[in-house]
Amino acid sequence: MSADGSRRFAANVHGWLLVLPAAALLVLFTHYPTVATFLRSFFSTAKGARGSAFVGVDNYRQMIDDPIFWQVLSNNAYFALGTIPVSIGLALLMAIWVNGRIAGKGWLRLAYFTPTVLPMIAVANIWLFFYTPQYGLFEQVLSAFGVPAHNFLGSKDTVLTCLIIVAIWKEAGFFMIFYLAALQQMSPNLAEAAAIEGASRWHFFRRVTFPLLMPTTLFVLVNAIINSFRLVDHVVVMTRGGPDNASSLLLYYIYEVGFRYWDSAYAAALTMVLLALLALFAVGQFLFMDRKVHYR
Amino acid sequence: MAAIALEGVSKAWGDSRGVDRISFATQAGQFLVLLGPSGCGKSTTLRLIAGLEQADAGRIFIAGDDVTALPPSRRHLSMVFQSYALFPHLSVAENILFGLKVRKAPAADQRRGLARVAELLGLAGLLERKPNQLSGGQQQRVALGRAIIAEQPVCLMDEPLSNLDAQLRNEMRRELRALQQKLAMTMVYVTHDQAEAMSMADQVILLRDGRIEQDATPEELYARPASTFTARFIGTPPMNVIPGTVLARVNPGWAARLGARAAEIAIGIRPEDIRFGAADGVEAAVAGIEYLGADSVVTCALGDAVLAVRAKGKLRGPAGERVRLDWDPAATHCFDQAGGQRLAQGLA
Ligand SMILES: Nc1ncnc2c1ncn2[C@@H]1O[C@H](COP(=O)(O)OP(=O)(O)OP(=O)(O)O)[C@@H](O)[C@H]1O
Ligand SMILES: [Mg+2]
């Protein structure tokens, strides 16, 4: 081996050694579990003396016949559709407002960002109090206006909406930070040039600000979609999926199947569905959105 | 009636003074240059005219109308920003047409205007490109195109050429001037480059610390600077300003001419007005020679003052060489040593 070759070899070894810790952790906690889950979903759950056996797509067939799975999936779709557009719209609105020339905007930014830095468990407990029947905040305010008492979290009709509101409140401030960062990158000269041409603020927003914010919107959108399938802490604290699975989301259902009923094989199959959904969104973003969004 | 007039306009941000009680007027079709060192209030003045800043005091008139309280869109002007402020997601054509589309001009007018502007500025082949696919000079033309397509009577420009290389800048100066005359626009042009101001302007307003130092034609600014500040700002290299006491000490002729007033007077003399030779000239020592091509600038030590002399061709000589300097008495400018203002009567 030439001196040059051995030096390159040494450099390669160095490089590999440097990425080894991160790579090992990734494989151990991300790649291996994914593959193991995928394989696991084709086996039955071991019960008592009966060991786990290969059952093919039986777990997936069971899923198709499982009414709770379909309810949870539609709950999750409803939850995503309820949170994503509103939280993004709200984030954009707040960012534009906070970016403007107003007094005390530092405090305002902080106030909007607070929901994001608070631990979700604490947040869920606060909202739990807001929604409490009889002496909760909303009940007290509504009863002052003579509205009859209502059990927000105990009713199948309102419980998911309640969770959506909490999620919006939590997410909008977080997304606002990204919009704010993007807005601050924009030269104020653009707005001035438009003002001299006589463009109204709405026209400027529609024709300039919004298109220029498109990359941020895409980023936020992907995050919002992932979050809508990932947010589970407030379900655990506030409703435990009830009443009658009306507020159960896909991830929470997986948790229940896997760690309450200990049907790990079925849970594995459900997990694969969740992963497939997220992969679909990611691919969709790469193939379709990316090209339209970037103006550079 | 003046195309643009300012009356006692002030603008400050807390302790930071932008402009302080400035008043001036310019006629329609003039090329007005706002000139001055960094931070003197040029951009502030321009933005006040545009309505992008609100004046704290004073009044602003455009075409005889008081526009002090009007928003930018109702002042009938266009502006080219130093950074060009092109919309990065819009094509060249869309950038140029932005204002017409805002005002919902008929499609036929838009097409005709775009064709004319593209032809005028040599942008015809670039209309579909995005700004980041253009060179600096081309971006500048697009910004210019956006400003002139609406044919507003007044056009404001804030250091539009400062991002360009020297050759392109010279070219654009000529083009801008030609364009302004062709379209008969009233132009207000900000620069800190005195050569740019001298070569383009009909009228120059020299600002200093938020006040007007001198408001005159380029010829007047050069021939009759109102103060030592103006004198030292205009010319390449600028005028030499030497305390009378220094001249009196080194030269008996000047000692006699200045007499008892030597301490009160500063003498200004342009480098290009000084000649070498003459046995009774002012004696100085060569400190350095800078060769510029067509001519050379010789720096001379005169007592504890320094004096630049501009002479034809390439000069050679050892540092420290004794020379005698001479100039036409008519080329002498006299200033008050303490206040710096020009003395009208000169040397009696
Ligand atoms: N928004 C602002 N807030 C506070 N001070 C300001 C503001 N804009 C300008 N100033 C101050 O006003 C003075 C004049 O500023 P201006 O921008 O008009 O200078 P300029 O002549 O354009 O300088 P330059 O050649 O560097 O662009 C400066 O001292 C500046 O610090
Ligand atoms: Mg400036």
Side-chain angles (χ1 to χ4, degrees), chain B residues 130-141:
Chain B
K130 296 280 166 72
N132 68 327
Q133 297 167 323
L134 301 177
S135 75
Q138 291 166 337
Q139 289 183 20
Q140 217 245 304
R141 286 170 216 229

Side-chain angles (χ1 to χ4, degrees), chain B residues 13 16-18 37-44 159 192:
Chain B
W13 294 269
S16 158
R17 188 171 68 177
S38 187
C40 68
K42 307 180 294 290
S43 296
T44 306
E159 306 204 28
H192 58 253

